Amino acid sequence: MQNLLSTFKSKQAGILLDALQKANDEEFSRFVLENINAISAWLHSEEFEKEHLQEPFPPLLNPKFLELESSRYCANLAWNLNLPLNIAGGGGGERLKFIYISPHGVGAAAFVSYLFFCDLFCNPSWNMPLDSKERYIQNFIDISEGKYQYYGVNISEFNIKDLEKFCHLLGKDTPVIIGTRDSIGILKHCVGRNWDKHIINFNHEFNLSHDFRDYIRHITHKDMELNIDFKDLENSFTSTKILPFFRNITPIDCEEILPHNALETMERLATKFNFNPPKNKTYFQNYEFKGYLRYILPLVLYANEKDPIFSLEKSVEETPLDRENSFVFIINVNTEPNEDHKNIFKELSQDPISKNLGVYVKKEDLKRIDKEFYAKIKAYLSEFIAEIIRVTKEAEEKILKEKDVLEYLKKHKDISLKFKQMCDEELKYFKQNHPNLVNSWHYYKEFEKLCETFAIN
């Protein structure tokens, strides 16, 4: 390799050697050897020296003239060649609409779901490995395959390997949407919930003999002592670490994606970022966090006449699932069902939670189910739904509120001042570029007054 690089300028030789060392990949090394002339010509071109030479991760081939397939090999090659993600599939630049940065607690799960109903797929980063290369590869493959009309790239975790390179390959001019929220609201979200609820250790499929109280226990709120661990807050207060990589930034406050604003917000974003406006308008009425409900959904009931039926008054021996000979009822977030299914929730309960929760069954199955058996299924589901409503309302009442956080901070001066330092750093960009947004945060303004009092005393 040293002989091959003898004709390279020192800067260009260093760039290629650095890429080879960091990749530590035999396939990539072989590719470089086979294409060394093309790489040399590009690295010594006027365009490269003018536009890319000073970049920390410059492309080793001209991205304008490359078309790569939707394979893991090509995605891995693109990463090692430092190619921008918008090269994916040849048309990635048109399909990749934006980067969505979502510090913890800004409504990311809801926002990503809303995008799906606008024909835009944004793979939640919390479902991906803590490795930027793997995230790049997955996003590259997704975009290249083109299963969806449009794509976004989500960044929610910031303690991941090679994040700096990942951000550079996303492109400094790629539009960015960053989720925001009143800082006290973010703090409340981080420290006020039972985050062990996201660990699922139960089966999502069940039958009429199943004691549904295991699901109920999982969504029951547990009182806990408020404890602020600043290390745990690092993934929620990150704008100073991530925003300098990008130029075109649009903040979206959590308030803008609450049910009363969500539809209008998504229509506005669709116009601004040129993706499809919402089709399924029912879904935008949902609260993503309704107690802990989201952690158990979806649930699938296999209703079979041969199974004994559990109730709170009568326990029965649980029987094995019979998927082939049962009627299927799906308990999931409320959305417009497809034309083959019906939402029967309002036959089970008239509670307003129906805006968030649905029970879906095939219309064809409804015609086939014996009336007496259907009545028994509804009785089982009604009791189950009533318990879901009960514990969800209790959780909503007990979960920490912003006013509770402020009361705690009033009693803990050292913690308040430390948190204020974190906020001062976090909010620099927003105070400089979006002061009206920060001024709209009622609880944070109260917190600032509290810290002023501490400083005086």
Side-chain angles (χ1 to χ4, degrees), residues 268-283:
R268 173 168 54 84
L269 292 176
T271 299
K272 180 172 183 176
F273 293 98
N274 194 29
F275 58 86
N276 292 339
K279 295 177 181 177
N280 186 333
K281 298 185 178 181
T282 302
Y283 187 80

Side-chain angles (χ1 to χ4, degrees), residues 117-386:
F117 289 103
C118 300
D119 299 319
L120 193 154
F121 179 67
C122 187
N123 198 350
S125 70
W126 55 87
N127 291 336
M128 305 178 80
L130 293 175
D131 184 306
S132 292
K133 179 180 177 180
E134 288 301 315
R135 294 185 175 197
Y136 176 94
I137 288 173
Q138 186 58 62
N139 281 296
F140 185 100
I141 293 172
D142 286 341
I143 295 170
S144 295
E145 287 179 342
K147 291 181 180 178
Y148 297 89
Q149 191 170 357
Y150 305 115
Y151 291 84
V153 174
N154 179 223
I155 304 175
S156 276
E157 298 78 24
F158 304 90
N159 55 335
I160 59 174
K161 183 181 178 183
D162 295 324
L163 178 63
E164 182 181 358
K165 178 174 179 177
F166 185 58
C167 290
H168 276 286
L169 297 192
L170 291 179
K172 59 188 176 185
D173 292 318
T174 303
V176 167
I177 294 175
I178 181 167
T180 62
R181 186 177 184 176
D182 186 311
S183 299
I184 300 302
I186 290 181
L187 183 58
K188 175 211 73 169
H189 185 83
C190 293
V191 303
R193 286 184 169 269
N194 304 148
W195 289 110
D196 59 340
K197 301 292 186 188
H198 80 280
I199 301 172
I200 305 302
N201 54 8
F202 54 75
N203 193 341
H204 285 263
E205 299 178 333
F206 63 108
N207 61 24
L208 292 169
S209 69
H210 182 68
D211 182 346
F212 51 69
R213 287 177 293 186
D214 59 345
Y215 301 125
I216 299 304
R217 282 190 289 271
H218 193 80
I219 60 175
T220 300
H221 181 73
K222 297 178 293 186
D223 290 334
M224 57 188 187
E225 184 177 347
L226 200 163
N227 178 39
I228 297 177
D229 185 333
F230 285 91
K231 183 70 176 175
D232 287 344
L233 297 180
E234 288 184 356
N235 276 332
S236 297
F237 295 88
T238 53
S239 67
T240 53
K241 299 176 186 176
I242 201 79
L243 292 184
F245 288 106
F246 306 105
R247 294 173 175 172
N248 182 3
I249 299 164
T250 300
I252 297 296
D253 191 79
C254 194
E255 183 72 20
E256 296 179 74
I257 57 172
L258 291 178
H260 60 285
N261 289 325
L263 183 61
E264 181 181 344
T265 297
M266 299 309 295
E267 289 173 339
R268 173 168 54 84
L269 292 176
T271 299
K272 180 172 183 176
F273 293 98
N274 194 29
F275 58 86
N276 292 339
K279 295 177 181 177
N280 186 333
K281 298 185 178 181
T282 302
Y283 187 80
F284 294 86
Q285 301 171 7
N286 298 340
Y287 277 95
E288 180 65 27
F289 271 100
K290 192 71 175 176
Y292 298 98
L293 188 53
R294 64 180 290 231
Y295 292 119
I296 62 170
L297 300 178
L299 295 172
V300 182
L301 168 66
Y302 291 92
N304 190 303
E305 288 188 85
K306 295 180 181 179
D307 292 327
I309 301 176
F310 170 84
S311 73
L312 294 176
E313 294 183 355
K314 181 185 177 183
S315 294
V316 296
E317 184 175 346
E318 186 162 353
T319 56
L321 288 177
D322 183 352
R323 296 178 180 84
E324 292 184 6
N325 302 299
S326 300
F327 297 105
V328 178
F329 292 77
I330 301 171
I331 305 173
N332 205 355
V333 293
N334 181 20
T335 185
E336 293 177 7
N338 62 46
E339 60 183 17
D340 297 328
H341 285 74
K342 180 181 179 182
N343 182 1
I344 65 164
F345 187 92
K346 291 190 176 178
E347 295 182 36
L348 309 173
S349 172
Q350 296 299 311
D351 191 89
I353 204 173
S354 62
K355 291 181 179 179
N356 298 85
L357 194 62
V359 179
Y360 304 94
V361 59
K362 287 184 178 179
K363 293 176 182 177
E364 191 61 35
D365 284 349
L366 282 176
K367 296 176 184 178
R368 296 168 47 222
I369 301 176
D370 175 79
K371 287 185 179 181
E372 185 177 346
F373 182 47
Y374 185 48
K376 292 178 180 179
I377 296 171
K378 289 199 294 182
Y380 175 87
L381 285 171
S382 295
E383 194 170 42
F384 186 9
I385 295 297

